[in-house]
Amino acid sequence: MRHRPLLILTSTLAAGTLALSACGSRDGGKSDDDQGSGKQTTVVIGVDAPLTGSLSALGQGIKNSVDLAARTANKNKEVQGITFKTEALDDQAVPASGQQNATKLVADKTVLGVVGPLNSGVSQSMQGVFARADLTQVSPANTSPELSQGDNWLKGEKKRPFKTYFRTATTDIIQGRFAAQYAYKDAKKKKVFVVDDKQTYGVGLASIFAQEFKRLGGEVAGTDHITVKETDFSSVANKIKNSGADIVYYGGQYPEGGLLSDQVKKTGARIPLMGGDGVYDPAFIKASSESNDGDLGTSVGYPVEGLDSAKAFVQNYKDAGYKDPYAAYGGYSYDAAWAIVQAVKKVVADNNGKLPADARAKVTEAMGKVSFEGVTGKVSFDEYGDTTNKQLTVYQVKGDAWQSLKSATFKD
């Protein structure tokens, strides 16, 4: 969920290089004839994330981790004849900016895959742009189910809207239910007050949590909404206190989540706030002047630091000297970029060591068959483009840091 780089090869590509690379094939990289000359072909992995603003702590981690994957691929000569570079664009967590970035990335014919964005709402504005250009998109953080399963997923009518969309993070169908099961069964909470930020991610996650909590036998004491970028949630905090709830569930991001937790505790209601991966960030703790001890958050996957599969990533990230930490989405961003690398590798291998003229379409097709052991575990995608990895973790604030409480593979 954050980070900044040491020597990022992003949008600082020389104009001459871009012009040279873009004049090759109509659909990515250079033409078959250019590759046959023995010269290295440049393939760009685009990145879209909030690199400035309140969510930049997450966006920088996405950016750096993709950069590290590109560097690693080049160092290992993962795809013969191909040099990977990255171009990172800032969406500021704004859908309109994301759509503009998608259009810009599509226009650069050397871009054969894009990692991002962070926000599900931003992704909604980008998916169609990428799909029309056959350009693969892999999000390391989107969790809203409709992005991959269509608007009627809740009714059991699942239909994949865009064949170019993939993700390495599991959906809120899984995360929301996992959180509710922990709150009811493990934390022994019986009465919840549910709040969301009126955004795609927050509303969906809060709804799924509430539905599962009630199914288990819990009571929803009340519901309310807050507005992103506002700071005074005292009226909602008082409603929570007066409801008698023994836990608050918040669907949204850490800037507002930290303030809500702070203001709930200032009412005298010493109950935990629980949220999804949007609150699982050190900045959530810093946003509160009251002690956050006991607050809970879930996040996709297992703690990267504890995974044998992530040891090389953690060390390489440190050695690269990035200014910002990789945070919650670093491992998923690296795996998203590596999936694109592997798809490019297959496309080149299937075309006698060269990129075909329709490289973007071929990469999208190859993505559905990608399978490898990644930083976060097994990386592969189902028929909707969703990750097959359904591992999640519950974290709790203790002192000034998040500590893992329980990791498990979700099963119905």
Side-chain angles (χ1 to χ4, degrees), residues 8-11 13 44-47 66-67 70 84-88:
I8 292 192
L9 302 170
T10 56
S11 54
L13 293 176
V44 175
I45 298 175
V47 182
V66 174
D67 177 71
F84 291 95
K85 294 187 178 181
T86 62
E87 180 173 5

Side-chain angles (χ1 to χ4, degrees), residues 173-241:
I173 299 174
I174 306 300
Q175 183 174 202
R177 294 180 63 192
F178 177 76
Q181 290 179 17
Y182 181 86
Y184 187 82
K185 295 179 179 179
D186 296 81
K188 307 300 181 184
K189 303 300 182 183
K190 305 302 178 187
K191 196 173 183 180
V192 64
F193 196 101
V194 179
V195 182
D196 67 63
D197 64 357
K198 297 183 280 191
Q199 302 297 304
T200 301
Y201 162 76
V203 171
L205 185 59
S207 298
I208 294 165
F209 176 94
Q211 183 181 63
E212 180 70 2
F213 194 79
K214 287 190 290 186
R215 187 187 72 81
L216 294 169
E219 176 187 350
V220 176
T223 62
D224 210 332
H225 316 279
I226 63 173
T227 301
V228 171
K229 295 186 178 179
E230 288 190 359
T231 57
D232 183 3
F233 308 131
S234 55
S235 63
V236 176
N238 283 317
K239 287 181 185 179
I240 292 169
K241 179 188 177 183

